[in-house]
Amino acid sequence: MYAYDEIDRTLVNERVAEFRDQVKRRLSGELTEDEFKMLRLMNGVYLQLHAYMLRVAIPYGTLSSPQMRKLAHVARRYDRGYGHFTTRQNIQFNWIKLADLPDALEELASVGIHAMQTSGNCVRNVTTDQWAGVAPGEVEDPRIWAETLRQYSTMHPEFTYLPRKFKIAITAADHDRAAIRVHDIGLRIHRNEAGETGFEVLVGGGLGRTPFIGKVIKPFVAGRDILSYVEAILRVYNQYGRRDNIYKARIKILVHELGIEKFSAEVEEEWQAMRHSALELDDEVVADIRSRFSYPDYEKLPDAPDELLAASADPHFERWLKNSVAPHQRPGYAIVTLSLKPVGAPPGDATADQLDAVADLAEKYSFGEIRVGHEQNLALPNVAKRDLPALWRQLDKLGLATPNVNLITDIIACPGLDYCSLANARAIPIAQELTRRFANHDIAEMIGRLHINISGCINACGHHHVGHIGILGVEKNNEEFYQITIGGRADEGAVVGTLIGPAVPYDDVANVIEDIVEAYLALRARPDELFYQTVERLGVEPFKERVYATR
């Protein structure tokens, strides 16, 4: 966990006081909605279909138990008793009243949580691997660098009004759980041939109307230079990025139009002129940030405790163990994923009671620490293996032990037309219907790892482009239709999926997905060939034929 210092606390409290005054002026009519819009966006407040929505940042996806309890309190007191975890390590409250927003933000600030830069054309919440600091094989804890970038980018005067929003993600593991290749800047921590630790820098990734996979702009940047190199990229983007067309304003369009070689040359020139400036990080600064992260006082524990062996006789526990529990850096410990995707429920939603219960379980079993992943699930990162049976029983009672992590019902979905003013079509009911269609765990396990991503509009908040099966809602003659892509991936082999054919109506989406899955089961070369691997091997034609043969 990271401990905020007095500077952070003062900044957050001052921001709340400032926003309280802005809300007061809006409520009195002194400010029009148009005048208020930019002010509220800078505090994570959107005006959605039915109400104001508050988007709260969860830096690098790490929460303490007191922070989780405060989120539960805000959900219960100011909203309708639940929160929605997003694909960028934020939580959203969809029904919050404008008059209540300053009080809610003040309460969040009391535990070091804020909503700054969760919206607007600035550097958004810096995200990382939700298993950062505990994932086996990790080069080092990427949260150190995410925090460094957070401090650097928060209210940065030069980058508060970029051409468009700007997203940075970091990973330090071989398996990319942070989707860095579909971010404006992706950072992969690795060691070079000399054994030095630094960053591979990718730029120009992103989804939305024009999806691109990020391109490597620099294979290795030393840690001391990462701020100056990121600033060089931002400066080039800020100078050349388009502001005349919102659809062509993201850095991915600039990189595409200039070409990575030309863009890289511009960044290099900028960087060489400034790299030995005040932005050069010395070891003392990094050590200070590192020292503010506290790590658990791990015990020496057996890797196969008696409690775990005894519980293995229960097939329900074994299924959850296989599906939801991952290896840890420390022997005797495990990482536990809490599925927020029970059958028939909106993906990513959690009730206030569940949030409180997770906070309690984290204190009892995970040193008071909780993680939030971009797949819209939670995780307890430090669970002793001896405690897994007891934890499973309690999670099961809370509805948080659905053994579907990485399976077909572990669906990522945006709020869609049920909440979002930008959406063209519903996403949540599609996800709910698919979880009911594939509720049989035996069938889900037979299908294997398969990610379905759903977006209610082209803005792609559900990351549909990089779902193994992607579903995009579009509007045709005032009716909801859905485009289907297959073969996408968001991991270290990230690729944008391929459209299989004409959009299908709302009522037929679940049938189409069933057809695609049945085709996959018939076409896969062996039981362990994953869905995306079959698509890679055969292309989309066999799936297209299956879907449209009778439509």
Side-chain angles (χ1 to χ4, degrees):
M1 297 297 300
Y2 182 78
Y4 274 16
D5 60 15
E6 191 56 35
I7 294 174
D8 286 308
R9 288 190 288 272
T10 300
L11 176 66
V12 171
N13 289 331
E14 287 181 349
R15 192 59 178 265
V16 171
E18 180 185 62
F19 188 55
R20 185 180 293 282
D21 180 64
Q22 292 163 354
V23 169
K24 181 181 177 182
R25 288 192 286 150
R26 172 69 189 107
L27 292 172
S28 70
E30 186 179 345
L31 293 176
T32 66
E33 182 57 39
D34 282 347
E35 290 170 332
F36 181 58
K37 180 178 179 179
M38 184 58 69
L39 303 175
R40 62 174 166 78
L41 287 176
M42 295 178 76
N43 291 277
V45 180
Y46 287 77
L47 182 55
Q48 294 290 29
L49 280 179
H50 314 292
Y52 285 100
M53 179 270 282
L54 173 63
R55 179 181 293 158
V56 177
I58 303 171
Y60 30 89
T62 299
L63 284 169
S64 67
S65 287
Q67 289 174 326
M68 185 65 103
R69 288 197 189 93
K70 188 61 76 175
L71 292 174
H73 170 74
V74 168
R76 189 177 288 118
R77 178 166 181 175
Y78 300 105
D79 205 90
R80 294 188 175 180
Y82 68 93
H84 172 76
F85 290 97
T86 78
T87 52
R88 292 212 76 255
Q89 295 180 325
N90 298 310
I91 184 170
Q92 294 179 177
F93 298 104
N94 288 310
W95 296 97
I96 203 157
K97 294 176 182 175
L98 179 59
D100 289 338
L101 277 165
D103 288 343
L105 285 170
E106 185 172 303
E107 295 213 42
L108 292 171
S110 70
V111 292
I113 300 179
H114 61 80
M116 290 186 294
Q117 299 190 190
T118 57
S119 57
N121 295 331
C122 55
V123 178
R124 300 286 186 91
N125 185 34
V126 179
T127 57
T128 61
D129 183 350
Q130 70 268 25
W131 294 357
V134 294
E138 186 178 74
V139 176
E140 67 174 72
D141 189 343
R143 293 177 300 168
I144 310 297
W145 300 98
E147 173 59 23
T148 305
L149 284 161
R150 185 196 69 82
Q151 294 184 17
Y152 151 78
S153 62
T154 297
M155 299 180 70
H156 193 301
E158 188 176 343
F159 305 129
T160 299
Y161 298 100
L162 291 164
R164 279 290 280 142
K165 57 189 174 183
F166 201 89
K167 302 173 182 178
I168 301 174
I170 311 175
T171 186
D174 290 338
H175 179 51
D176 177 9
R177 281 175 289 269
I180 67 167
R181 285 159 178 76
V182 291
H183 280 72
D184 297 299
I185 290 179
L187 300 174
R188 184 178 69 87
I189 302 175
H190 68 116
R191 292 191 180 90
N192 64 12
E193 293 179 353
E196 300 168 316
T197 300
F199 297 83
E200 178 186 47
V201 182
L202 295 91
V203 68
L207 301 175
R209 188 175 297 269
T210 312
F212 283 107
I213 300 300
K215 301 170 180 63
V216 176
I217 184 173
K218 197 82 168 175
F220 188 85
V221 175
R224 64 180 174 277
D225 293 324
I226 192 60
L227 288 191
S228 60
Y229 196 77
V230 166
E231 176 143 332
I233 292 174
L234 282 164
R235 284 187 174 184
V236 171
Y237 171 52
N238 208 17
Q239 180 177 359
Y240 295 108
R242 293 182 61 167
R243 286 179 161 85
D244 61 328
N245 186 333
I246 191 173
Y247 303 117
K248 296 184 178 181
R250 296 289 295 270
I251 192 174
K252 62 188 177 183
I253 302 298
L254 178 64
V255 172
H256 175 69
E257 292 185 346
L258 284 181
I260 188 63
E261 294 80 10
K262 171 66 174 170
F263 184 84
S264 175
E266 292 280 348
V267 170
E268 191 68 21
E269 182 179 353
E270 187 74 31
W271 185 47
Q272 291 302 333
M274 59 177 284
R275 64 179 298 189
H276 299 302
S277 65
L279 288 176
E280 185 171 331
L281 290 166
D282 58 37
D283 293 342
E284 187 177 342
V285 170
V286 178
D288 180 62
I289 293 175
R290 197 185 305 275
S291 71
R292 290 185 170 277
F293 280 88
S294 60
Y295 292 89
D297 186 14
Y298 294 108
E299 300 177 66
K300 287 186 178 180
L301 296 175
D303 216 34
D306 293 341
E307 295 87 343
L308 192 59
L309 296 175
S312 63
D314 185 332
H316 298 293
F317 173 76
E318 273 294 284
R319 172 171 278 164
W320 174 80
L321 183 70
K322 174 185 174 185
N323 180 270
S324 302
V325 179
H328 194 281
Q329 290 179 3
R330 298 296 185 107
Y333 287 88
I335 306 165
V336 176
T337 298
L338 282 54
S339 172
L340 296 181
K341 320 286 179 62
V343 173
D349 277 13
T351 68
D353 289 346
Q354 286 177 321
L355 298 178
D356 271 337
V358 169
D360 292 344
L361 292 175
E363 279 186 342
K364 189 172 183 179
Y365 296 115
S366 187
F367 298 93
E369 190 171 332
I370 305 120
R371 303 292 180 84
V372 181
H374 82 274
E375 298 95 343
Q376 298 177 291
N377 289 320
L378 302 177
L380 299 181
N382 296 298
V383 180
K385 289 185 175 180
R386 68 186 176 203
D387 295 331
L388 287 171
L391 174 62
W392 168 68
R393 286 190 288 273
Q394 294 174 67
L395 289 174
D396 194 39
K397 291 178 182 175
L398 294 167
L400 297 172
T402 307
N404 63 347
V405 178
N406 283 323
L407 299 181
I408 192 167
T409 55
D410 187 8
I411 296 170
I412 291 175
C414 74
L417 196 54
D418 289 292
Y419 295 95
C420 182
S421 59
L422 299 176
N424 302 114
R426 290 168 289 173
I428 291 172
I430 296 286
Q432 290 172 305
E433 174 59 19
L434 288 172
T435 62
R436 287 188 280 265
R437 293 280 183 109
F438 294 98
N440 186 307
H441 290 305
D442 291 331
I443 293 176
E445 287 186 352
M446 179 181 67
I447 294 168
R449 183 178 166 213
L450 201 167
H451 297 164
I452 296 178
N453 293 36
I454 309 172
S455 297
C457 78
I458 197 63
N459 290 299
C461 291
H463 295 187
H464 64 277
H465 293 295
V466 288
H468 296 165
I469 297 175
I471 302 173
L472 167 64
V474 295
E475 181 266 330
K476 286 185 177 180
N477 300 321
N478 296 319
E479 294 186 25
E480 296 165 276
F481 278 76
Y482 294 82
Q483 295 177 351
I484 311 296
T485 55
I486 62 173
R489 293 173 64 187
D491 58 15
E492 61 280 1
V495 63
V496 172
T498 302
L499 187 66
I500 64 168
V504 298
Y506 174 87
D507 290 338
D508 206 20
V509 173
N511 295 329
V512 167
I513 302 305
E514 276 193 332
D515 286 348
I516 291 172
V517 172
E518 287 175 3
Y520 155 65
L521 293 175
L523 291 166
R524 65 183 178 185
R526 55 186 190 280
D528 64 346
E529 184 179 64
L530 300 177
F531 175 81
Y532 74 82
Q533 293 171 328
T534 303
V535 178
E536 283 178 353
R537 181 170 56 83
L538 297 175
V540 303
E541 284 303 319
F543 299 92
K544 182 177 181 178
E545 290 173 9
R546 174 60 181 265
V547 168
Y548 294 103
T550 58
R551 290 181 172 85

